[in-house]
Amino acid sequence: MSDELAIETYGLCKRFRRKTAVENLNLNVPVGSVFAFLGPNGAGKTTTIKMLMNILSPSSGEGAVLGCPITHISPEIMAQIGYVSENQKMPEWMTVGGLLSYCKPWYPTWDDAFCDRLLKQFDLPMDRKLRHLSRGMKTKAALLSSLAYRPRLLVLDEPFSGLDPLVRDEFIRGVLELTEQEQWTVFVSSHDIDEVERLANWVGFINDGALTVCEPVASLQSRFRKIEVILAGETTARPVLPADCLLPEASGRTVRFIDGAASVPDRMEELHRLFPVGAQMSASPMGLRDIFLTLTRHGRVQKERGAA
Amino acid sequence: MSLLAHHMKKDARHLRWLLGLWVLLVAAEALLINFGNRAEPDNLPAQIAYQMISVLLPMLQYLLVIVMVPLLVQDEPLVGTTAFWFTRPVPRRLLLSSKALFCLLAFVVLPALVELAVLSINRVPLMDVASVAPEIIFSALLRLACAFALAALTLNFARYAIVGAAAIVAIVVISAAVTLTMLFVFGLEETAFAKPASLLVSRSIVSNVVVLLLCLATIVNQYLTRRTGWSVVLAVLAIAGSFAVSSFWQIDFMQRETQAPADSVVDCEKLSIGPRFESADSSTKSFGRRAKATQRVRAEVSVHGLPPAHVADVAAMRTRFTPEGEEASTISSTNRETLYYRSDWTKKNLSDLFPGLRIIGQDITYSRYADILTLPPPQYLELKNKRGALDGEADVLVDRLVVSHTFSLEPGSRFHEGPVEETIGEVNAESGGVIILVRRSQLTRNWARLRKGTRPGEENANKRKVYYVLVNRERGEVVMPNDDSFVDFNFSSFPFHLSVKSFSLRYPADRLAERESSFAIDADWLAGAELVRLARERVAECTVAFHEDDFSMTEDLSSKARSVHKHTIPADDLAP
């Protein structure tokens, strides 16, 4: 297990009877990164996180969190992990103050001053029961109880669900500020790309239980481009595109596809050779959302072809 | 503050209102037991109120336990994937210890201490308090373990309630199915109805131990591994094991052997059985198609040869009938006594106890029937008019009638023997008679070892076993009580180990007054009278054989019955 990786998995699988939720997952999350774990609904994000937190046991494969095997996460390691999930059942009979008082003794690194600061920042009422808080306030309370001990790893599972835009913004700004200050590793799963894009410097795409991408955001964005080729004159013959070009489509003399080749100069050279002389070729960069949509659609197309 | 205490404090805060209610209920039960049923036996509204409260309180307590335990356990649920504590540094062992300790303190130690304190306050001897303590703790532990295991296997209260209700229905249905199966396949003799009370107590103890151990295994497994599948298997095993033990366990470790007192004068060799058959009283028992129908030939059985002031019960009979000239048709059967009430407190027995005194009263005579033969109906039809030889032997339990105490007729006069205390409450003279109110507190131990033919709590209280006569030695008269008066129709407090209640004794009976008009109880008579408590004391268990050459199933053979004797209990075993 590497010291430079906060999370690492090898061939991690989870099967629920006949359904495979996660298949052969190889994930590396570097220490200090903000890792966005993206995928459509039902892709296997939450299942993966539950395996990482030892809530579910994997069907096969192995993994480690902060250097500790995921099937044997000790309370000492758990005390260095902060976890916030939209699905988590909070002890709703407790007040915010009661929750913090209950959590504090479990964490040797609990920082009262930091907790007070966060409390002011999140503007939470100490004496109100969790069951009487709005969803956004509950998420803030969960986050507060997961940050006050300065965790080395913060795991956020769909933290933005149900939050209004203002709270989302506060939440993201809060996490960004803290990660910059504290150099924590943040592992955030979401299907809300726009929000995550502001946070993440690493990204992993999971679709149908399989990890399709796991790399820095900058690398990913420089690799993926939208290519549009306008063929010259009356040419109707279409060249055969490289197999790794995604979502090709043609309309009249225009051919569009997504290119995600690892080496951009080589790929451009190859494309220039493919298309007849006179064709106009343009490449435009893509945002994380477009890349996510492309990979998701491509996954569906592959699946339909496989089924056919 | 340790993490264990921290966690328990959190749970106490969570359940503080229900805990308060629980403490109130425990205190209320303690008061109810302590003060007992002091209402007049004939004050029906008060008796009904007492009965309702004494049933309601334990029910409320049980209800509160089965509500509080899941609230406590499921605050940190063990199934599902969304629990808050899963992602917190809470060690599983610590969580288990915290919950278990909390439950033990609140639901076992507290009520047990309170109940034991109440027993002590009521002058129950320390030895008896110590002997009943494991029983009290065990029963509290058992109900706790069942609720705890179920709560550990379910995600929330709704599922707990649904699964619990389903489990109860399943248990009732399976229980009925097992009983009916036993009845149809093995016959009445193999069902619990026909088993000795001590065997049923043995079965109950083993069954409860099995359930408790498997529930504990379920809980520990669920906390330490969270492998719910295996935990469910353990829970199902607990239910199945309980049924298996309740139906088939045969080792009767709760039966108490009789040790005859040194001064016992019973000689088993001298006892004889006098069967007097009732030709009309045979009946067919059949359950279902597969079960064998049986014809029962019954008889009133009496034991002869008893020393004065001794009585006997027939616990079981084994018989063999061989029709004349048809040795191949020999039939044999084993029959238990059909328990009918019979008063052993007859004038004759009382005369033996009080020689030289005039016994005033009326014998209550009830017949006691035993199944002499059990045979298939076609065989009965074939043999019923035939004569033949009947051989048999009966297990006979012999008790000596003794004076256990003499009360002076004053309020406060007290009898105290082991877990039983009786105090005279009031002595109210009425026209020609007297009504005496007695308050009895008695410790009933469900785990007490039982002599043959007795049931838990029966030896010191059952009216077959204890009797009260009014004696005036100066006048040379012994008055038997009114038959109805001794039937203490005030209600029992059955859920409690300590039962405190009052009953009234009326002397003489109204019917008696009509017949013996020369006799009346007045102030002068009462001035020299005392209330004598009589009891039965087991002195021997004998097996008595009998043989009848000229037997017919449809003829009254009382005059022809002859007996032979068989000595089965060595003299050494009867020594104290």
Side-chain angles (χ1 to χ4, degrees), chain B residues 286-297:
Chain B
S286 170
F287 303 96
R289 278 185 301 152
R290 295 187 62 188
K292 291 174 186 171
T294 54
Q295 188 81 23
R296 294 167 175 235
V297 180

Side-chain angles (χ1 to χ4, degrees), chain A residues 1 5 7-14 21-30 35-37 44 48 51-52 58 60-64 70 187 202-207 209-215:
Chain A
M1 301 295 175
L5 295 174
I7 297 173
E8 52 192 318
T9 67
Y10 303 99
L12 203 62
C13 291
K14 183 64 189 178
V22 174
E23 191 171 15
N24 197 28
L25 188 79
N26 297 307
L27 189 67
N28 292 318
V29 178
F35 191 102
F37 192 49
T48 301
M51 283 193 284
L52 294 176
S60 62
E62 57 185 33
I70 56 175
F187 185 83
W202 270 74
V203 66
F205 278 120
I206 185 171
N207 199 3
L211 194 70
T212 52
V213 167
C214 181
E215 64 183 284

Side-chain angles (χ1 to χ4, degrees), chain A residues 103-139:
Chain A
C103 290
K104 182 180 165 180
W106 302 106
Y107 297 96
T109 57
W110 188 275
D111 185 338
D112 279 327
F114 186 46
C115 182
D116 289 343
R117 206 184 90 198
L118 290 171
L119 199 59
K120 279 180 194 157
Q121 191 177 334
F122 288 170
D123 194 22
L124 284 168
M126 284 287 275
D127 56 349
R128 196 176 301 173
K129 285 188 176 172
L130 293 179
R131 75 162 70 99
H132 297 140
L133 296 181
S134 66
R135 188 161 181 176
M137 299 275 257
K138 268 185 213 170
T139 307

Side-chain angles (χ1 to χ4, degrees), chain A residues 50 53-56 75 78-79 81 83 87-91 93-94 99 101-103 105-107 142 145-146 149, chain B residues 1 3-4 6-7 10-11 13-14 16 75-76 80-92 94-95 226:
Chain A
K50 285 181 174 170
M53 293 288 100
N54 196 22
I55 296 171
L56 287 174
M78 198 56 93
I81 301 172
Y83 174 86
N87 298 318
Q88 197 170 28
K89 292 266 190 319
M90 302 288 284
W93 59 272
M94 286 187 186
L99 177 70
S101 305
Y102 171 65
C103 290
W106 302 106
Y107 297 96
S145 70
S146 302
Y149 49 92
Chain B
M1 185 170 57
L3 289 173
L4 185 76
H6 171 67
H7 202 271
K10 185 271 292 181
D11 285 333
R13 200 182 307 126
H14 180 203
R16 58 190 180 280
D75 205 29
E76 280 85 17
T81 58
T82 57
F84 179 71
W85 76 277
F86 288 165
T87 54
R88 300 282 160 175
V90 181
R92 293 178 182 191
L94 185 137
L95 189 64
R226 283 188 53 230

